[in-house]
Amino acid sequence: MTLSPSTTPELLVEQRGRIAIITLNRPERYNAISRDMLNELSTKMVEANKDPEIRCIILTGTGKGFCAGLDLIGVGEGNIGGGAKDGNRPARQLFDLRDAPINVMWNIDTPIICALNGPAAGYGMDVALLCDMRIASETAKMAAVTAKRNVVPESGGTWLLPRLIGWGKAAELYYRARTVGAEECLSMGLINTIVPAEELMTTALQWAEEIADNAPLAVQTTKRMMRMGLEESYDTAVDHLMVHLAGMFQSEDFKEGVQAFLEKRKPDFTGR
């Protein structure tokens, strides 16, 4: 399988062997998310996750920013979020976020690397936090500025951030509406590493290839168990792990991993 082309020029999709690269491409608006970008980002994440050939996803942005958040002009016009253009939508109604990028990214098992090329604010910060790991350029920033707009981190931030850096630091960022640079992000544990801007994609691709070299079933199951483990007791998590492990012992990749170890060579995993 290969990824199909994006339906909007505001989101670029490229496949390099076992790696999918998804690029937010609205540099004139610092990659603020439009409705077209929202829909297509979800679609391409699901498509990449279903493709057995793709073992890692890299998410990045074009230009100087990673993502400035939701397009506030679109929100004001009713294209994103609350009210409708025609004014006929009730002020309060049930909403369904199952297909929104924030839920899709959380629930897929394929690892996601964020190549954080610049500032991430609001929704953009939440999207970056939803990635499994973040490689940042020296110009990267995290802007927890929702309190300056009289909104909340509606895209999972209040759930994610305390778990990543602790309650006190999360409270500091959100309540003070702070913007933190790459070095402070690193010291807080918000990002994994900092590299020069010209080395960002090279490093992200290197990490992605290292992930892709490993047994995909093991990597994806580990991600799923880590995700589920956040809400499970220790005993339940261990029980689930043993159920998965029993099946993995019967796989071709397990046999290949053992054989490669005995023969002192690099394993060739197929996902079967």
Side-chain angles (χ1 to χ4, degrees):
M1 293 177 62
T2 57
L3 287 176
S4 60
S6 174
T7 60
T8 171
E10 295 179 345
L11 192 82
L12 305 179
V13 180
E14 178 186 356
Q15 184 172 344
R16 297 193 191 180
R18 302 170 297 179
I19 300 164
I21 303 172
I22 299 176
T23 305
L24 307 177
N25 187 43
R26 213 177 172 212
E28 72 283 358
R29 301 273 303 163
Y30 289 91
N31 299 318
I33 302 284
S34 67
R35 179 171 290 280
D36 286 345
M37 293 169 76
L38 272 177
N39 295 338
E40 193 66 2
L41 180 57
S42 290
T43 298
K44 292 307 171 188
M45 285 285 178
V46 170
E47 189 177 334
N49 188 56
K50 288 182 177 179
D51 190 333
E53 300 301 318
I54 292 176
R55 300 186 183 179
C56 190
I57 300 167
I58 296 174
L59 179 63
T60 191
T62 301
K64 296 181 179 179
F66 172 70
C67 180
L70 290 175
D71 186 348
L72 292 179
I73 294 176
V75 172
E77 293 176 348
N79 292 328
I80 302 175
K85 286 183 177 180
D86 58 13
N88 293 326
R89 182 181 298 170
R92 295 179 65 86
Q93 70 175 49
L94 294 175
F95 52 89
D96 186 348
L97 294 176
R98 285 174 295 181
D99 296 328
I102 54 172
N103 279 355
V104 169
M105 291 176 65
W106 175 250
N107 284 293
I108 66 174
D109 294 327
T110 303
I112 308 171
I113 296 173
C114 177
L116 196 63
N117 59 298
Y123 192 95
M125 178 173 168
D126 287 350
V127 166
L129 296 180
L130 278 162
C131 296
D132 296 285
M133 55 202 82
R134 286 155 292 281
I135 301 170
S137 76
E138 296 164 321
T139 60
K141 296 178 182 178
M142 292 276 192
V145 294
T146 48
K148 290 184 182 294
R149 311 285 184 261
N150 194 37
V151 292
V152 295
E154 83 290 351
S155 309
T158 53
W159 193 92
L160 290 160
L161 196 60
R163 285 167 167 79
L164 285 170
I165 63 175
W167 182 282
K169 282 297 183 181
E172 177 189 342
L173 263 60
Y174 281 139
Y175 303 170
R176 297 177 62 194
R178 289 198 59 211
T179 297
V180 290
E183 290 291 345
E184 190 171 0
C185 284
L186 182 63
S187 68
M188 284 184 175
L190 278 171
I191 59 176
N192 294 73
T193 191
I194 303 171
V195 297
E198 64 272 15
E199 297 177 15
L200 180 63
M201 283 307 297
T202 301
T203 305
L205 284 164
Q206 178 189 337
W207 285 32
E209 287 289 359
E210 290 173 358
I211 291 170
D213 281 342
N214 292 322
L217 182 59
V219 172
Q220 292 171 19
T221 302
T222 299
K223 176 175 177 176
R224 178 176 289 196
M225 291 296 95
M226 287 171 62
R227 183 175 70 239
M228 293 176 64
L230 292 171
E231 300 297 325
E232 293 179 328
S233 69
Y234 176 80
D235 288 339
T236 302
V238 170
D239 189 68
H240 281 164
L241 284 163
M242 294 305 296
V243 170
H244 282 287
L245 191 60
M248 293 169 75
F249 280 152
Q250 308 303 315
S251 68
E252 293 180 16
D253 275 355
F254 176 72
K255 297 173 184 175
E256 167 63 11
V258 173
Q259 196 65 31
F261 173 76
L262 294 174
E263 296 174 1
K264 299 181 180 179
R265 59 173 173 82
K266 181 179 178 180
D268 181 18
F269 294 117
T270 62
R272 294 191 291 270

